Amino acid sequence: MYRLAAFDMDGTLLTPEHRVGPETLAVLKQLVARQITVTFATGRHYLDVQPIMAQLGLQGFLITGNGTRIYDRHGQCLQATDLPPDIAEAVIHSHWQTSAGMHVFRDEGWLTESATPAMLQAHHLSGFGYQLTDPRRLPAFGNSKICFVGEHEELQSLLGRLRVYFGEQVDLCFSAYDCLEVLPAGCNKGSALALLSGHLNVTLDECMAFGDAMNDKEMLASVGHGVVMGNALPQLKALLPQLPVIGHCETQAVAHYLAHWLRSPHVPYTPV
């Protein structure tokens, strides 16, 4: 029996309209009733995730900022990791020959130079939004991650330049097709889940995890049972061919999969 279940949010637990469906909410409450620890592992900010959980009446552990922050059920920060100041300063102040927008995340919020109203739709449940500011005026310390948002082909080119410049000093990943993230080296959902499971005296073999994007790769690969969404990025499916692939987030596939597992844990699952 698995003792902990970790869920990515966008593209996994949430529908394309960025909502938690009723079937999904019901099965999450069943997990809690079975004394299975529920953890939400997301690229979102704590100020974005916590209000959503409160609205749903759920108390789970939170891995936010793609592993840069870990919180207990009561909102107490268990672990915080920031980009080293010299790295953050280099990312923010260098000219990367890209039109992609830069977004900086700090404990106080989401900061960016240009208004992008379309991005706010994903945060309608919490009301979380960006603050307009010149990133070059931000302190070099206290920056958990920096994201570039733009066309995928342009971000692929930017990825190459960032790798050449920083080498192994940072982690780089696509949290979505149009979002490239610069994270502290060694910081990802998988490493954060390892820290959290140790804190809870749970082994990774006793964990299951669900995800759809490249920022879920380490988490899915490290647990006893990783599950890939049918709508996952093709790169993720190609990297983890050994893991089961279920249905689409639009049809609340996580809920269907877990309902089957709770009912018949030893019977193979057929995606609907």
Side-chain angles (χ1 to χ4, degrees):
M1 173 64 74
Y2 296 105
R3 298 173 57 198
L4 184 152
F7 303 94
D8 168 57
M9 294 189 68
D10 295 282
T12 301
L13 205 63
L14 303 184
T15 67
E17 294 77 33
H18 307 285
R19 297 184 182 278
V20 177
E23 294 173 58
T24 301
L25 181 58
V27 83
L28 290 175
K29 291 184 175 180
Q30 287 181 54
L31 292 180
V32 173
R34 296 273 190 105
Q35 297 187 322
I36 296 171
T37 299
V38 172
T39 302
F40 304 98
T42 177
R44 290 177 179 243
H45 196 287
Y46 174 78
L47 297 176
D48 190 11
V49 183
Q50 194 280 328
I52 297 174
M53 296 302 104
Q55 289 175 38
L56 297 173
L58 292 171
Q59 272 197 326
F61 288 84
L62 300 180
I63 294 171
T64 65
N66 282 324
T68 60
R69 298 288 187 273
I70 305 171
Y71 297 89
D72 69 12
R73 291 190 182 99
H74 309 292
Q76 181 70 35
C77 186
L78 302 175
Q79 176 77 18
T81 308
D82 291 327
L83 288 162
D86 59 325
I87 299 293
E89 188 165 7
V91 175
I92 291 171
H93 290 272
S94 298
H95 181 65
W96 296 108
Q97 300 177 331
T98 180
S99 62
M102 181 190 294
H103 303 262
V104 181
F105 289 81
R106 301 170 55 85
D107 282 339
E108 60 263 35
W110 163 19
L111 305 116
T112 188
E113 191 169 25
S114 301
T116 49
M119 293 182 68
L120 298 177
Q121 177 57 32
H123 310 279
H124 64 92
L125 287 177
S126 65
F128 183 64
Y130 49 73
Q131 304 167 44
L132 291 178
T133 189
D134 180 357
R136 292 160 189 81
R137 301 185 66 179
L138 294 173
F141 58 87
N143 301 293
S144 56
K145 68 173 186 174
I146 300 171
C147 305
F148 291 91
V149 177
E151 296 294 326
H152 185 71
E153 293 73 17
E154 185 169 2
L155 294 178
Q156 285 279 20
S157 178
L158 174 60
L159 173 65
R161 292 193 291 276
L162 289 167
R163 278 180 174 158
V164 169
Y165 191 97
F166 292 109
E168 301 299 318
Q169 296 181 87
V170 299
D171 273 13
L172 302 166
C173 75
F174 280 97
S175 58
Y177 201 65
D178 59 356
C179 183
L180 174 63
E181 306 211 354
V182 183
L183 296 158
C187 193
N188 54 65
K189 293 182 185 181
S191 59
L193 185 60
L195 286 169
L196 176 59
S197 62
H199 173 78
L200 297 172
N201 198 29
V202 174
T203 69
L204 286 173
D205 283 343
E206 296 174 298
C207 300
M208 59 168 55
F210 298 76
D212 76 303
M214 291 301 288
N215 59 332
D216 299 312
K217 176 186 64 176
E218 292 86 357
M219 177 175 72
L220 295 174
S222 66
V223 297
H225 187 57
V227 179
V228 177
M229 299 299 293
N231 53 276
L233 294 179
Q235 302 97 306
L236 183 70
K237 293 179 180 177
L239 280 170
L240 301 173
Q242 75 279 14
L243 299 186
V245 177
I246 60 172
H248 199 287
C249 65
E250 185 173 15
T251 60
Q252 301 182 66
V254 170
H256 295 298
Y257 182 88
L258 285 173
H260 172 86
W261 175 75
L262 288 168
R263 184 175 58 249
S264 307
H266 303 296
V267 177
Y269 174 77
T270 302
V272 294

